[in-house]
Each structure stands twice: as structure tokens, then as C-alpha cells.
Amino acid sequence: MDEEPCLPSPKENLLDLLRKVSVVQANQYFNRDDVELIQSPENHVLGQVLKRYIVMILLTGSEIRMIFKVHFNPEQMRAYRQSSGGKPEDLTDKHLLDYMKELSNQIGGRACRIFQSHGISLGMSIPLCTRGIYEIYADYQEKSGVINKFGDFWCLNGPFGFLYCSCYVELLAADQLKNIHYVDEPSDEGELDFL
């Protein structure tokens, strides 16, 4: 008797997609090709206060809601930007927070485009920033039922140090995500978009 291959669950597909999106977009945003994904950072757990600041983006649709967060310290980003030739006026805390908000904005935008390629429309909030200490109020407890709720946590390692990423997902239609996967986008290098 042939056994069916063990297929990833909709939850695993979704989390794999978000991790890949974060790595690809970080490489593009920081103009690198060496950002490394650390799937389960040692000595850290989901819901732990990881860094002094969090930037986040909300992605919502009729059957799915997600909060995607990037945890960071301004000092690490200041050191990275200085080593990359950043101008002194771009190294203030306000500019660094805006710089990281734009990273979360781009990660959210890439995720939305990939979901759209699978026929799932998502809306996206503007990037938000808060203190890292507020992570203690986040509820990542898994729940199954009419609405499935779960969270995930991983790390991006690069010349900027460690950036921790976390997400919380509320999923109403898990079957809709069983075939979702990361799809590489064609490069828009050299094209300009005017808003």
C-alpha cells in the first residue's frame, strides 16, 4: 500500500511564505545578498521582549488577518547605516525609525503581491512603531476552531546584526492556504513608480 507524502499544512505554508518574504525583502532593502534566516533563534521565544523597538504592519483580508513585526534597536541600525556611508542627518532616532518602518512596509507589500498571485486580496496598514516592551501584552496562544490563531518567530542575520521577526495570524479559511507558496517576483530594477 502506497503512503501519501506528508504535505505541509496551510499553517506551515503560510509561515514558510512569510519567512521567505522577509529574507528576500531584507536582501533587497539593505542591498545585500547575504541575509541569513535563523528559523528558531536560541534562547529566545515568541512573545519575549527582544529589542527596544518594534515596527509592524497589519495585513487583512476577508479570511485572514496578520500582524507582522520587526524587532530592532536603533543603535544597531545606526552602526549599520554609518558603516554603509549614511549621512549624519539620516542617523537620528526619528530617521532610523522611519527607515525600519519602510522595511516593514516593503515586506508587507511583497506579501500582499504574493497573496494576490494566489487570488487572495489583502489590505495593508501604514507601518506602525512601538516600544519593544509592549510585546509582553501580545497573546500568541494557539487556538483552533472556527478561527485558527497562531504565531511564529524567526531571525534575520546580516551585517546589521540580528533583526527578529514575529507574526500573529488569525485564519478563517485554512483550506484556502493549502497551496499557497512563495513565488519570486520579476525584478523592477530600473523602473520608477511615482505616487
Side-chain angles (χ1 to χ4, degrees):
M1 185 158 70
D2 292 336
E3 288 186 27
E4 278 189 35
C6 186
L7 298 175
S9 69
K11 173 184 169 184
E12 291 168 337
N13 283 343
L14 175 61
L15 297 179
D16 181 62
L17 182 149
L18 292 174
R19 288 175 177 198
K20 287 179 179 172
V21 163
S22 68
V23 171
V24 169
Q25 196 59 50
N27 273 316
Q28 182 177 341
Y29 189 68
F30 294 113
N31 198 22
R32 310 291 306 185
D33 61 2
D34 58 352
V35 175
E36 174 190 13
L37 171 68
I38 300 173
Q39 301 234 13
S40 300
E42 287 186 28
N43 304 317
H44 293 86
V45 294
L46 183 63
Q48 175 183 353
V49 176
L50 300 162
K51 298 282 186 165
R52 287 196 12 248
Y53 285 95
I54 298 170
V55 290
M56 68 183 90
I57 201 91
L58 310 174
L59 305 170
T60 59
S62 60
E63 316 235 336
I64 188 169
R65 292 184 287 272
M66 294 181 281
I67 301 172
F68 180 88
K69 301 176 184 177
V70 179
H71 309 251
F72 72 99
N73 288 328
E75 298 81 14
Q76 78 182 100
M77 297 316 300
R78 184 175 292 113
Y80 170 72
R81 303 251 0 239
Q82 279 177 325
S83 69
S84 302
K87 298 175 187 171
E89 61 269 18
D90 294 335
L91 302 176
T92 66
D93 280 355
K94 180 189 178 324
H95 282 94
L96 294 171
L97 293 179
D98 288 344
Y99 182 73
M100 294 306 292
K101 282 181 182 179
E102 182 57 25
L103 172 62
S104 70
N105 189 49
Q106 289 188 18
I107 290 171
R110 183 177 288 270
C112 284
R113 290 188 303 275
I114 291 171
F115 275 90
Q116 186 65 46
S117 73
H118 289 282
I120 302 169
S121 295
L122 295 178
M124 185 172 82
S125 73
I126 61 169
L128 308 168
C129 184
T130 188
R131 301 266 182 190
I133 191 69
Y134 294 123
E135 188 69 358
I136 64 173
Y137 298 111
D139 176 15
Y140 291 105
Q141 184 176 358
E142 285 201 29
K143 298 174 185 167
S144 295
V146 175
I147 299 177
N148 295 306
K149 299 178 181 185
F150 53 89
D152 194 26
F153 162 65
W154 63 96
C155 179
L156 303 177
N157 184 20
F160 42 74
F162 295 108
L163 292 178
Y164 296 98
C165 298
S166 62
C167 68
Y168 181 70
V169 179
E170 293 182 351
L171 186 59
L172 281 74
D175 286 347
Q176 189 177 6
L177 298 180
K178 67 182 173 192
N179 295 320
I180 199 164
H181 60 279
Y182 179 79
V183 178
D184 206 9
E185 296 181 302
S187 175
D188 291 335
E189 196 172 306
E191 292 184 21
L192 294 176
D193 290 334
F194 295 97
L195 303 177

